[in-house]
Amino acid sequence: MKKIVCTFLCFAAAFFLGGLAARTKEHFFPEALETSADSNWGLSFGQDGEPPAANATYETLAKYNTYYAEDTKEKRIYLTFDAGFENGNTEAILDALKKHLVPATFFVVGTYIKNNPELIRRMKEEGHTVGNHTYHHPDMSQISTKESFEKELQDVEAEYQKITGEEMTKFYRPPQGKYNEDNLRMAKELGYHTFFWSLAYVDWYEDDQPTKEEAFDKLLRRIHPGAIVLLHSTSKTNAEILDELLTKWEEMGYTFGSLEQLIS
């Protein structure tokens, strides 16, 4: 009986310590992503208002013309949107950007361009950049040949040129942040700059949208100098709060730059 009790107490202690460790990690690194440099883009947040720790350094990424934030103390934000499809929220987002004279980059997939030519033209006419989010939104880290990698990007370029009559700006964002160093190298060889992000939040579930309060808690508390912010244009919450969010960031002393300015 003593042996059984001892075993039970050992299991209980292990369970308690494991749970404590998990809660400690959640407290100090909320929404931390355990990743390697050859898998998913990952961030660990520490002190509010400071850049997060990423799973690749500024210096490593710079070799491949890749960015996740600007290394600066200036209160500047680079606003980006990922657009996999259109569900009626982009016009409100564009209205808010226009009101505040804020430039943004929209990383779009091929079918988005094909199905929403007027929105693409409006983005361009209002001074925004349309970036490349691949045609089919695959896991690009699983694509090993340059030919296949290039096709995912070139098919988007072709759709954009068909709609606008102009060449697409060679800005690339890996779908879901999945990448490896070969991908970054191939993108650079194709003339692309790759952009990850230093601030995002869970805004992509259409049927489980964050509340305004939840959105502001993440986006105001974690904003930092030089941030590349990723929002999804499919988010109803983002469409509803963007005007107020931009106002709040401005009141905090932030200005807005374009990714073109970041790389110049």
Side-chain angles (χ1 to χ4, degrees):
M1 177 62 91
K2 268 174 111 176
K3 186 173 181 182
I4 293 172
V5 171
C6 183
T7 303
F8 174 80
L9 289 175
C10 288
F11 274 117
F15 178 83
F16 173 79
L17 290 173
L20 179 61
R23 287 193 296 276
T24 301
K25 179 180 177 183
E26 184 180 357
H27 177 76
F28 287 105
F29 301 105
E31 295 181 12
L33 298 177
E34 294 183 357
T35 59
S36 70
D38 281 346
S39 56
N40 294 352
W41 181 244
L43 301 169
S44 291
F45 290 89
Q47 186 174 339
D48 291 349
E50 295 293 327
N55 62 345
T57 65
Y58 291 116
E59 294 74 22
T60 298
L61 296 175
K63 295 186 297 184
Y64 304 108
N65 290 343
T66 299
Y67 307 81
Y68 76 96
E70 181 182 18
D71 188 8
T72 183
K73 296 296 184 184
E74 294 187 34
K75 286 190 164 185
R76 186 162 46 245
I77 296 170
Y78 300 94
L79 192 55
T80 70
F81 294 86
D82 283 4
F85 58 94
E86 175 55 30
N87 62 352
N89 293 306
T90 305
E91 286 195 358
I93 288 170
L94 288 169
D95 289 344
L97 295 172
K98 185 175 183 179
K99 177 180 176 180
H100 290 263
L101 302 177
V102 170
T105 298
F106 289 83
F107 288 97
V108 302
V109 298
T111 51
Y112 187 97
I113 300 176
K114 188 173 183 178
N115 296 333
N116 303 280
E118 292 305 319
L119 285 174
I120 294 294
R121 293 190 191 101
R122 181 179 173 187
M123 291 171 190
K124 177 179 172 298
E125 289 165 3
E126 294 184 359
H128 305 299
T129 303
V130 178
N132 201 321
H133 202 36
T134 73
Y135 199 93
H136 297 101
H137 203 266
D139 177 352
M140 294 294 276
S141 69
Q142 300 301 309
I143 293 181
S144 58
T145 67
K146 188 174 179 180
E147 292 74 20
S148 298
F149 186 92
E150 184 174 17
K151 181 169 174 53
E152 277 292 333
L153 300 181
Q154 283 188 337
D155 286 353
V156 180
E157 294 171 12
E159 288 291 345
Y160 181 82
Q161 188 161 36
K162 192 186 304 181
I163 294 299
T164 66
E166 297 183 9
E167 289 190 5
M168 191 174 207
T169 301
K170 292 203 169 185
F171 289 173
Y172 162 61
R173 172 166 285 157
Q176 305 175 65
K178 293 185 177 181
Y179 77 103
N180 56 46
E181 289 199 24
D182 283 342
N183 292 163
L184 303 184
R185 185 180 298 107
M186 287 188 282
K188 181 181 178 182
E189 289 171 357
L190 294 170
Y192 274 85
H193 289 79
T194 300
F195 296 93
F196 291 110
W197 58 89
S198 62
L199 176 57
Y201 78 120
V202 181
D203 63 348
W204 56 86
Y205 295 116
E206 275 194 278
D207 298 328
D208 188 18
Q209 280 288 287
T211 65
K212 172 182 173 179
E213 292 73 24
E214 289 168 339
F216 280 158
D217 178 60
K218 293 290 193 298
L219 297 173
L220 297 179
R221 192 162 50 82
R222 291 181 175 174
I223 196 63
H224 62 86
I228 296 179
V229 179
L230 161 60
L231 301 176
H232 284 82
S233 62
T234 53
S235 168
K236 184 172 182 286
T237 298
N238 289 341
E240 291 172 347
I241 70 168
L242 188 59
D243 181 16
E244 186 177 354
L245 176 64
L246 296 176
T247 298
K248 288 181 179 296
W249 276 338
E250 289 164 346
E251 290 171 350
M252 294 169 70
Y254 282 93
T255 60
F256 300 88
S258 67
L259 293 183
E260 285 87 352
Q261 293 170 315
L262 175 61
I263 68 173
S264 64

